[in-house]
Amino acid sequence: MARATREYGEWPLKRLMTDVVGSGHKSADDMSRAQAREAFQRILGGEPDHTTLGAFWLANRWKRNNPEELGAYVDVMHEESVVAAEPDADPVDCGANYDGKGRSAILGVAAGLVAAAAGTPVVVHSGDRVPTQKQDAYKHVLDELGVRTDLDPAESAAMVDDVGFGFYYQPRFNPGIDDLFERRDTMGVRTFVNTVETLANPANADVHLGSFYHLPFAKKMVRTLKQSESSTVDRALFFQGMEGYDDVRPGETVVAEWPIEGDESDDEDIADFEIRTGDLGMDVTSEDLGVDDVAAESAAITEAVLAGEREDGFADAVALNAALRIYAREDADSIGDGLDQARAAVEDGSAADALESLRSF
């Protein structure tokens, strides 16, 4: 049976290039919400010529998407690609860069399991060698730990409810974005897809934890969530992550928190504060968290920290990242209180038990 050709509006990508976004990073105009929606509908539908698609992605990179455009992209992704499965638990959604890390350990599996053991459910999601970096991500650490990762969304939701920690696999819950792999790989540079896929939120969580390179981008991400008509997120924390991932940098880390009302926040209810690891009694540097084989060594570190066999910088870093997840969900009144909960979950063996439950799922 022949498949009907989809009808779009009046804005093919070539026209958007000529009339709106393609004149250069200083003179280009922003798209309206309707134009951005139609553009991404066409992209997910496989309609644009490959050359035009590449030019459109690059033009968006030059001019930089505003929150209204990004919010429209997120909405189309949710409507046409994301297969959400909501667990009974109310988890923290952790949106790390999908293209992974290459120099430092991935701490989010260990931190998520510690937080889960302390009573804060956590969801993580990733693909497999996503462009442009195509480095190690959540999936690869979990694979090294012997955890099932090729799960359909309903299984991922059940994992959250059974363990307190759940993994959602992009090809299963966001197939439209996964289908763009080859085009993205050919581009050779990141596109807005790298940004919006971190906001896929396959568990329909109320709380989002993400990372950024500088504070203005964190505020843009908050505005994107506010502009998205499909987003279920009503609380978000963004922080300066190592290699852009959702692992807190040792030293001084800026955190953006939304919504916060009062004198501490701006007129958009966004507040920012610093985490100083030295003030928390942690003598650890970014170099201390470096590894050669990211996936394998991250898995070994996860096992050792959760078993209480390490008391070094990695143990401190896992506890801090778990504390931020606990605080994000407001299960602790402060990062310090979250640290106490995280360390207690390791000391009493419940974090190690959570890892065994994850393996046996």
Side-chain angles (χ1 to χ4, degrees):
M1 181 176 175
R3 187 175 182 179
T5 301
R6 176 171 179 173
E7 291 187 5
Y8 297 99
E10 300 178 354
W11 291 98
L13 264 60
K14 185 176 180 180
R15 184 184 176 197
L16 284 170
M17 285 292 298
T18 302
D19 293 356
V20 186
V21 302
S23 61
H25 68 282
K26 291 185 178 180
S27 58
D29 292 324
D30 292 325
M31 290 175 285
S32 67
R33 178 182 295 273
Q35 288 170 332
R37 282 184 55 86
E38 182 177 337
F40 208 27
Q41 287 169 343
R42 289 175 181 270
I43 291 169
L44 291 177
E47 186 263 355
D49 172 84
H50 288 177
T51 302
T52 304
L53 174 58
F56 180 78
W57 272 340
L58 196 57
N60 275 258
R61 182 180 173 90
W62 282 339
K63 85 167 192 68
R64 299 179 182 176
N65 288 119
N66 65 25
E68 183 178 39
E69 292 168 328
L70 291 170
Y73 296 151
V74 170
D75 288 342
V76 171
M77 177 178 68
H78 282 158
E79 293 162 7
E80 306 207 2
S81 181
V82 173
V83 182
E86 187 172 332
D88 293 330
D90 185 15
V92 176
D93 173 69
C94 296
N97 284 344
Y98 273 44
D99 58 356
K101 297 177 74 175
R103 302 184 305 277
S104 57
I106 293 173
L107 306 173
V109 173
L113 285 165
V114 171
T120 298
V122 171
V123 160
V124 302
H125 38 99
S126 80
D128 188 1
R129 311 296 176 195
V130 171
T132 58
Q133 295 186 133
K134 297 196 289 186
Q135 296 183 134
D136 290 323
Y138 274 119
K139 178 188 188 311
H140 309 106
V141 179
L142 291 166
D143 286 342
E144 290 284 344
L145 287 167
V147 176
R148 290 174 57 213
T149 55
D150 190 8
L151 304 169
D152 65 44
E155 290 178 303
S156 297
M159 178 183 281
V160 180
D161 287 329
D162 284 2
V163 181
F165 176 95
F167 173 74
Y168 287 71
Y169 186 35
Q170 186 184 58
R172 293 296 196 106
F173 81 85
N174 203 351
I177 297 297
D178 184 63
D179 287 345
L180 295 173
F181 184 99
E182 183 181 350
R183 293 294 94 216
R184 296 170 67 186
D185 191 28
T186 303
M187 278 293 296
V189 295
R190 288 178 176 174
T191 72
F192 63 73
V193 180
N194 291 80
T195 300
V196 300
E197 68 188 349
T198 67
L199 301 178
N201 193 10
N204 287 336
D206 296 330
V207 179
H208 177 79
L209 184 74
S211 64
F212 64 89
Y213 290 102
H214 50 79
L215 186 58
F217 187 79
K219 292 187 176 183
K220 178 187 282 191
M221 293 295 278
V222 170
R223 296 182 191 116
T224 296
L225 290 170
K226 293 167 71 174
Q227 287 285 336
S228 169
E229 296 174 354
S230 61
S231 175
T232 62
V233 173
D234 57 23
R235 174 170 165 79
L237 265 68
F238 291 93
F239 61 88
Q240 291 174 304
M242 295 184 68
E243 298 185 63
Y245 220 71
D246 59 356
D247 298 320
V248 176
R249 296 177 184 178
E252 296 183 355
T253 297
V254 175
V255 181
E257 183 175 4
W258 168 81
I260 297 292
E261 297 180 356
D263 296 338
E264 296 180 354
S265 61
D266 62 17
D267 57 2
E268 297 180 287
D269 295 331
I270 303 171
D272 61 89
F273 62 92
E274 286 190 350
I275 296 174
R276 296 181 176 89
T277 51
D279 292 347
L280 297 171
M282 298 180 180
D283 183 18
V284 58
T285 67
S286 295
E287 289 73 21
D288 294 332
L289 305 181
V291 292
D292 295 320
D293 186 332
V294 173
E297 292 185 59
S298 296
I301 290 164
T302 297
E303 291 179 301
V305 169
L306 268 56
E309 297 172 356
R310 299 188 75 139
E311 297 181 355
D312 57 3
F314 286 112
D316 283 341
V318 168
L320 177 57
N321 280 280
L324 199 59
R325 286 149 174 77
I326 295 168
Y327 174 74
R329 193 171 176 266
E330 299 181 289
D331 292 332
D333 293 331
S334 67
I335 303 297
D337 288 344
L339 272 171
D340 291 341
Q341 293 184 39
R343 286 171 171 153
V346 173
E347 290 171 5
D348 68 14
S350 56
D353 291 342
L355 176 57
E356 291 311 306
S357 295
L358 188 66
R359 283 172 157 157
S360 63
F361 176 81

Short mmCIF file of all heavy atoms in Angstrom, two decimals, residues 154-203:
data_model
loop_
_atom_site.label_atom_id
_atom_site.label_comp_id
_atom_site.label_asym_id
_atom_site.label_seq_id
_atom_site.Cartn_x
_atom_site.Cartn_y
_atom_site.Cartn_z
N ALA A 154 8.52 1.06 28.16
CA ALA A 154 7.76 0.51 29.28
C ALA A 154 8.68 -0.26 30.23
O ALA A 154 8.51 -0.21 31.46
CB ALA A 154 6.65 -0.40 28.77
N GLU A 155 9.66 -0.98 29.69
CA GLU A 155 10.63 -1.69 30.53
C GLU A 155 11.48 -0.69 31.31
O GLU A 155 11.82 -0.93 32.48
CB GLU A 155 11.52 -2.58 29.68
CG GLU A 155 10.83 -3.79 29.07
CD GLU A 155 11.75 -4.59 28.19
OE1 GLU A 155 12.32 -4.03 27.23
OE2 GLU A 155 11.94 -5.79 28.48
N SER A 156 11.85 0.41 30.67
CA SER A 156 12.63 1.44 31.36
C SER A 156 11.86 2.01 32.54
O SER A 156 12.42 2.22 33.63
CB SER A 156 13.01 2.55 30.38
OG SER A 156 13.83 2.06 29.34
N ALA A 157 10.57 2.26 32.34
CA ALA A 157 9.74 2.78 33.42
C ALA A 157 9.65 1.76 34.56
O ALA A 157 9.70 2.13 35.75
CB ALA A 157 8.35 3.13 32.90
N ALA A 158 9.52 0.50 34.21
CA ALA A 158 9.47 -0.54 35.24
C ALA A 158 10.78 -0.62 36.00
O ALA A 158 10.79 -0.88 37.22
CB ALA A 158 9.15 -1.90 34.59
N MET A 159 11.91 -0.40 35.31
CA MET A 159 13.21 -0.39 35.96
C MET A 159 13.27 0.71 37.03
O MET A 159 13.77 0.49 38.13
CB MET A 159 14.33 -0.19 34.93
CG MET A 159 15.72 -0.11 35.52
SD MET A 159 17.00 0.23 34.26
CE MET A 159 17.19 -1.41 33.54
N VAL A 160 12.73 1.89 36.69
CA VAL A 160 12.70 2.99 37.66
C VAL A 160 11.92 2.57 38.90
O VAL A 160 12.37 2.79 40.04
CB VAL A 160 12.07 4.26 37.05
CG1 VAL A 160 12.05 5.38 38.08
CG2 VAL A 160 12.82 4.70 35.81
N ASP A 161 10.77 1.97 38.71
CA ASP A 161 9.92 1.60 39.84
C ASP A 161 10.51 0.44 40.65
O ASP A 161 10.35 0.39 41.87
CB ASP A 161 8.52 1.25 39.36
CG ASP A 161 7.72 2.48 38.94
OD1 ASP A 161 7.95 3.55 39.51
OD2 ASP A 161 6.89 2.35 38.02
N ASP A 162 11.21 -0.47 39.98
CA ASP A 162 11.79 -1.61 40.69
C ASP A 162 13.07 -1.24 41.44
O ASP A 162 13.32 -1.74 42.54
CB ASP A 162 12.11 -2.74 39.69
CG ASP A 162 10.87 -3.50 39.25
OD1 ASP A 162 9.76 -3.13 39.69
OD2 ASP A 162 11.00 -4.45 38.47
N VAL A 163 13.90 -0.40 40.83
CA VAL A 163 15.25 -0.14 41.34
C VAL A 163 15.38 1.25 41.95
O VAL A 163 16.18 1.48 42.86
CB VAL A 163 16.30 -0.34 40.22
CG1 VAL A 163 17.71 -0.11 40.75
CG2 VAL A 163 16.19 -1.73 39.60
N GLY A 164 14.61 2.21 41.43
CA GLY A 164 14.81 3.61 41.78
C GLY A 164 15.71 4.34 40.82
O GLY A 164 15.91 5.55 40.91
N PHE A 165 16.26 3.60 39.87
CA PHE A 165 17.14 4.13 38.83
C PHE A 165 16.74 3.48 37.52
O PHE A 165 16.57 2.26 37.45
CB PHE A 165 18.60 3.80 39.15
CG PHE A 165 19.61 4.21 38.10
CD1 PHE A 165 20.28 5.42 38.21
CD2 PHE A 165 19.88 3.38 37.02
CE1 PHE A 165 21.20 5.79 37.24
CE2 PHE A 165 20.80 3.75 36.06
CZ PHE A 165 21.47 4.96 36.16
N GLY A 166 16.58 4.28 36.46
CA GLY A 166 16.16 3.71 35.19
C GLY A 166 16.91 4.31 34.03
O GLY A 166 17.28 5.49 34.04
N PHE A 167 17.14 3.50 33.00
CA PHE A 167 17.81 3.92 31.77
C PHE A 167 16.85 3.82 30.60
O PHE A 167 16.19 2.79 30.42
CB PHE A 167 19.04 3.05 31.49
CG PHE A 167 19.68 3.34 30.15
CD1 PHE A 167 20.42 4.49 29.96
CD2 PHE A 167 19.52 2.45 29.08
CE1 PHE A 167 21.00 4.76 28.72
CE2 PHE A 167 20.10 2.71 27.85
CZ PHE A 167 20.84 3.88 27.67
N TYR A 168 16.76 4.88 29.82
CA TYR A 168 15.96 4.91 28.59
C TYR A 168 16.93 5.01 27.41
O TYR A 168 17.82 5.87 27.40
CB TYR A 168 15.01 6.10 28.58
CG TYR A 168 13.81 5.98 29.51
CD1 TYR A 168 13.97 6.06 30.89
CD2 TYR A 168 12.52 5.82 29.01
CE1 TYR A 168 12.88 5.97 31.74
CE2 TYR A 168 11.43 5.74 29.85
CZ TYR A 168 11.61 5.81 31.22
OH TYR A 168 10.53 5.73 32.06
N TYR A 169 16.72 4.16 26.41
CA TYR A 169 17.63 4.04 25.27
C TYR A 169 17.06 4.77 24.07
O TYR A 169 15.95 4.48 23.62
CB TYR A 169 17.84 2.55 24.96
CG TYR A 169 18.86 2.24 23.91
CD1 TYR A 169 20.02 2.99 23.76
CD2 TYR A 169 18.67 1.14 23.07
CE1 TYR A 169 20.96 2.67 22.80
CE2 TYR A 169 19.62 0.80 22.11
CZ TYR A 169 20.76 1.57 21.98
OH TYR A 169 21.71 1.25 21.01
N GLN A 170 17.83 5.73 23.55
CA GLN A 170 17.31 6.61 22.52
C GLN A 170 16.69 5.90 21.31
O GLN A 170 15.60 6.31 20.86
CB GLN A 170 18.40 7.57 22.05
CG GLN A 170 17.89 8.63 21.07
CD GLN A 170 19.00 9.52 20.55
OE1 GLN A 170 19.97 9.06 19.97
NE2 GLN A 170 18.85 10.82 20.76
N PRO A 171 17.30 4.88 20.73
CA PRO A 171 16.66 4.25 19.57
C PRO A 171 15.27 3.69 19.87
O PRO A 171 14.44 3.57 18.96
CB PRO A 171 17.64 3.12 19.19
CG PRO A 171 18.96 3.61 19.67
CD PRO A 171 18.65 4.33 20.96
N ARG A 172 15.00 3.37 21.12
CA ARG A 172 13.71 2.82 21.50
C ARG A 172 12.68 3.90 21.85
O ARG A 172 11.51 3.76 21.51
CB ARG A 172 13.88 1.89 22.70
CG ARG A 172 14.68 0.62 22.42
CD ARG A 172 13.99 -0.29 21.41
NE ARG A 172 14.54 -1.63 21.42
CZ ARG A 172 13.94 -2.68 21.94
NH1 ARG A 172 12.74 -2.55 22.49
NH2 ARG A 172 14.51 -3.87 21.92
N PHE A 173 13.12 4.97 22.56
CA PHE A 173 12.12 5.95 22.99
C PHE A 173 12.10 7.21 22.13
O PHE A 173 11.16 8.00 22.22
CB PHE A 173 12.34 6.34 24.46
CG PHE A 173 13.41 7.36 24.70
CD1 PHE A 173 13.15 8.72 24.59
CD2 PHE A 173 14.70 6.97 25.03
CE1 PHE A 173 14.14 9.67 24.81
CE2 PHE A 173 15.69 7.90 25.25
CZ PHE A 173 15.41 9.25 25.14
N ASN A 174 13.11 7.40 21.27
CA ASN A 174 13.17 8.61 20.45
C ASN A 174 13.66 8.22 19.04
O ASN A 174 14.69 8.71 18.57
CB ASN A 174 14.12 9.63 21.09
CG ASN A 174 13.85 11.06 20.66
OD1 ASN A 174 13.06 11.30 19.76
ND2 ASN A 174 14.53 12.00 21.29
N PRO A 175 12.91 7.35 18.36
CA PRO A 175 13.41 6.79 17.10
C PRO A 175 13.58 7.82 15.99
O PRO A 175 14.45 7.66 15.12
CB PRO A 175 12.35 5.75 16.74
CG PRO A 175 11.11 6.18 17.46
CD PRO A 175 11.60 6.79 18.74
N GLY A 176 12.75 8.87 15.97
CA GLY A 176 12.89 9.88 14.94
C GLY A 176 14.23 10.59 15.00
O GLY A 176 14.85 10.87 13.97
N ILE A 177 14.68 10.90 16.21
CA ILE A 177 16.00 11.51 16.38
C ILE A 177 17.09 10.50 16.04
O ILE A 177 18.08 10.84 15.38
CB ILE A 177 16.17 12.04 17.82
CG1 ILE A 177 15.15 13.13 18.12
CG2 ILE A 177 17.58 12.55 18.04
CD1 ILE A 177 15.28 14.37 17.26
N ASP A 178 16.93 9.27 16.46
CA ASP A 178 17.92 8.24 16.14
C ASP A 178 18.08 8.08 14.63
O ASP A 178 19.19 7.83 14.13
CB ASP A 178 17.52 6.92 16.79
CG ASP A 178 18.56 5.84 16.59
OD1 ASP A 178 19.69 6.01 17.09
OD2 ASP A 178 18.25 4.82 15.93
N ASP A 179 16.99 8.23 13.89
CA ASP A 179 17.06 8.09 12.44
C ASP A 179 17.90 9.18 11.76
O ASP A 179 18.28 9.03 10.60
CB ASP A 179 15.64 8.11 11.83
CG ASP A 179 14.87 6.83 12.10
OD1 ASP A 179 15.49 5.83 12.50
OD2 ASP A 179 13.63 6.84 11.92
N LEU A 180 18.19 10.25 12.48
CA LEU A 180 19.01 11.33 11.93
C LEU A 180 20.51 11.09 12.12
O LEU A 180 21.32 11.95 11.77
CB LEU A 180 18.64 12.66 12.60
CG LEU A 180 17.22 13.18 12.36
CD1 LEU A 180 16.96 14.40 13.24
CD2 LEU A 180 17.02 13.53 10.89
N PHE A 181 20.87 9.94 12.66
CA PHE A 181 22.26 9.67 13.01
C PHE A 181 23.21 9.93 11.85
O PHE A 181 24.21 10.64 11.98
CB PHE A 181 22.41 8.22 13.48
CG PHE A 181 23.80 7.87 13.95
CD1 PHE A 181 24.10 7.86 15.30
CD2 PHE A 181 24.81 7.54 13.05
CE1 PHE A 181 25.39 7.54 15.74
CE2 PHE A 181 26.09 7.23 13.48
CZ PHE A 181 26.38 7.22 14.82
N GLU A 182 22.94 9.35 10.70
CA GLU A 182 23.86 9.47 9.56
C GLU A 182 24.03 10.92 9.12
O GLU A 182 25.14 11.37 8.84
CB GLU A 182 23.37 8.63 8.38
CG GLU A 182 24.31 8.65 7.18
CD GLU A 182 23.79 7.82 6.03
OE1 GLU A 182 22.81 7.08 6.22
OE2 GLU A 182 24.36 7.93 4.93
N ARG A 183 22.91 11.64 9.05
CA ARG A 183 22.98 13.06 8.64
C ARG A 183 23.80 13.86 9.65
O ARG A 183 24.61 14.71 9.28
CB ARG A 183 21.58 13.66 8.51
CG ARG A 183 20.71 13.11 7.41
CD ARG A 183 21.26 13.46 6.04
NE ARG A 183 22.11 12.40 5.50
CZ ARG A 183 23.20 12.60 4.77
NH1 ARG A 183 23.59 13.81 4.47
NH2 ARG A 183 23.89 11.59 4.32
N ARG A 184 23.58 13.62 10.93
CA ARG A 184 24.32 14.34 11.97
C ARG A 184 25.79 13.99 11.93
O ARG A 184 26.66 14.86 12.10
CB ARG A 184 23.74 13.99 13.34
CG ARG A 184 22.31 14.46 13.56
CD ARG A 184 21.71 13.89 14.83
NE ARG A 184 22.37 14.43 16.01
CZ ARG A 184 22.12 14.02 17.25
NH1 ARG A 184 21.23 13.05 17.47
NH2 ARG A 184 22.75 14.55 18.28
N ASP A 185 26.09 12.73 11.69
CA ASP A 185 27.48 12.30 11.62
C ASP A 185 28.20 12.97 10.45
O ASP A 185 29.35 13.39 10.56
CB ASP A 185 27.53 10.78 11.50
CG ASP A 185 28.92 10.22 11.70
OD1 ASP A 185 29.72 10.85 12.42
OD2 ASP A 185 29.22 9.15 11.14
N THR A 186 27.51 13.09 9.33
CA THR A 186 28.10 13.70 8.14
C THR A 186 28.37 15.19 8.36
O THR A 186 29.31 15.75 7.79
CB THR A 186 27.17 13.51 6.93
OG1 THR A 186 26.95 12.10 6.74
CG2 THR A 186 27.80 14.08 5.65
N MET A 187 27.56 15.85 9.20
CA MET A 187 27.74 17.28 9.46
C MET A 187 29.12 17.58 10.04
O MET A 187 29.76 18.56 9.67
CB MET A 187 26.68 17.77 10.44
CG MET A 187 25.35 18.11 9.82
SD MET A 187 25.44 19.53 8.72
CE MET A 187 25.87 20.83 9.87
N GLY A 188 29.58 16.78 10.98
CA GLY A 188 30.88 17.01 11.57
C GLY A 188 30.90 18.02 12.71
O GLY A 188 31.92 18.19 13.36
N VAL A 189 29.79 18.71 12.96
CA VAL A 189 29.68 19.66 14.07
C VAL A 189 28.34 19.43 14.76
O VAL A 189 27.41 18.86 14.18
CB VAL A 189 29.77 21.13 13.61
CG1 VAL A 189 31.14 21.44 13.03
CG2 VAL A 189 28.68 21.47 12.61
N ARG A 190 28.25 19.88 15.99
CA ARG A 190 26.99 19.76 16.71
C ARG A 190 25.93 20.66 16.09
O ARG A 190 26.23 21.69 15.51
CB ARG A 190 27.18 20.14 18.18
CG ARG A 190 27.96 19.12 18.99
CD ARG A 190 28.15 19.57 20.41
NE ARG A 190 28.81 18.53 21.21
CZ ARG A 190 29.21 18.70 22.46
NH1 ARG A 190 29.00 19.87 23.05
NH2 ARG A 190 29.80 17.73 23.12
N THR A 191 24.69 20.23 16.23
CA THR A 191 23.55 20.99 15.75
C THR A 191 22.56 21.17 16.90
O THR A 191 22.79 20.68 18.02
CB THR A 191 22.84 20.27 14.59
OG1 THR A 191 22.15 19.11 15.12
CG2 THR A 191 23.83 19.83 13.52
N PHE A 192 21.45 21.86 16.63
CA PHE A 192 20.46 22.02 17.70
C PHE A 192 19.87 20.70 18.15
O PHE A 192 19.30 20.61 19.24
CB PHE A 192 19.35 22.99 17.28
CG PHE A 192 18.50 22.56 16.11
CD1 PHE A 192 17.56 21.55 16.22
CD2 PHE A 192 18.63 23.19 14.88
CE1 PHE A 192 16.76 21.16 15.15
CE2 PHE A 192 17.84 22.81 13.80
CZ PHE A 192 16.91 21.80 13.94
N VAL A 193 20.01 19.64 17.36
CA VAL A 193 19.52 18.34 17.78
C VAL A 193 20.25 17.87 19.04
O VAL A 193 19.66 17.25 19.93
CB VAL A 193 19.65 17.31 16.65
CG1 VAL A 193 19.13 15.94 17.09
CG2 VAL A 193 18.89 17.78 15.41
N ASN A 194 21.56 18.19 19.13
CA ASN A 194 22.32 17.82 20.32
C ASN A 194 21.77 18.49 21.57
O ASN A 194 21.88 17.95 22.68
CB ASN A 194 23.79 18.20 20.15
CG ASN A 194 24.50 17.36 19.11
OD1 ASN A 194 24.37 17.60 17.92
ND2 ASN A 194 25.24 16.35 19.56
N THR A 195 21.18 19.66 21.40
CA THR A 195 20.60 20.37 22.53
C THR A 195 19.23 19.80 22.91
O THR A 195 18.98 19.48 24.08
CB THR A 195 20.46 21.87 22.21
OG1 THR A 195 21.76 22.41 21.94
CG2 THR A 195 19.83 22.63 23.37
N VAL A 196 18.36 19.66 21.93
CA VAL A 196 16.98 19.29 22.27
C VAL A 196 16.86 17.84 22.69
O VAL A 196 15.96 17.49 23.48
CB VAL A 196 16.01 19.62 21.12
CG1 VAL A 196 16.03 21.11 20.80
CG2 VAL A 196 16.28 18.80 19.87
N GLU A 197 17.74 16.95 22.23
CA GLU A 197 17.60 15.55 22.62
C GLU A 197 17.83 15.36 24.12
O GLU A 197 17.28 14.44 24.73
CB GLU A 197 18.54 14.65 21.81
CG GLU A 197 20.02 14.83 22.08
CD GLU A 197 20.89 14.04 21.10
OE1 GLU A 197 20.36 13.20 20.35
OE2 GLU A 197 22.11 14.29 21.08
N THR A 198 18.61 16.25 24.74
CA THR A 198 18.82 16.14 26.18
C THR A 198 17.56 16.50 26.96
O THR A 198 17.46 16.18 28.16
CB THR A 198 19.96 17.05 26.66
OG1 THR A 198 19.60 18.42 26.49
CG2 THR A 198 21.24 16.77 25.88
N LEU A 199 16.59 17.16 26.30
CA LEU A 199 15.33 17.55 26.93
C LEU A 199 14.19 16.61 26.56
O LEU A 199 13.02 16.95 26.76
CB LEU A 199 14.97 18.98 26.53
CG LEU A 199 16.00 20.06 26.89
CD1 LEU A 199 15.53 21.43 26.39
CD2 LEU A 199 16.26 20.11 28.38
N ALA A 200 14.51 15.43 26.06
CA ALA A 200 13.47 14.49 25.61
C ALA A 200 12.59 14.03 26.77
O ALA A 200 11.41 13.74 26.57
CB ALA A 200 14.10 13.28 24.93
N ASN A 201 13.15 13.91 27.97
CA ASN A 201 12.38 13.60 29.18
C ASN A 201 11.42 12.43 28.98
O ASN A 201 10.20 12.57 29.12
CB ASN A 201 11.61 14.84 29.65
CG ASN A 201 11.04 14.69 31.06
OD1 ASN A 201 11.36 13.76 31.78
ND2 ASN A 201 10.17 15.63 31.43
N PRO A 202 11.95 11.24 28.68
CA PRO A 202 11.07 10.11 28.33
C PRO A 202 10.22 9.60 29.48
O PRO A 202 9.27 8.85 29.25
CB PRO A 202 12.06 9.04 27.86
CG PRO A 202 13.34 9.38 28.56
CD PRO A 202 13.37 10.87 28.60
N ALA A 203 10.53 9.98 30.72
CA ALA A 203 9.74 9.54 31.87
C ALA A 203 8.72 10.58 32.29
O ALA A 203 8.02 10.40 33.30
CB ALA A 203 10.66 9.22 33.05
#
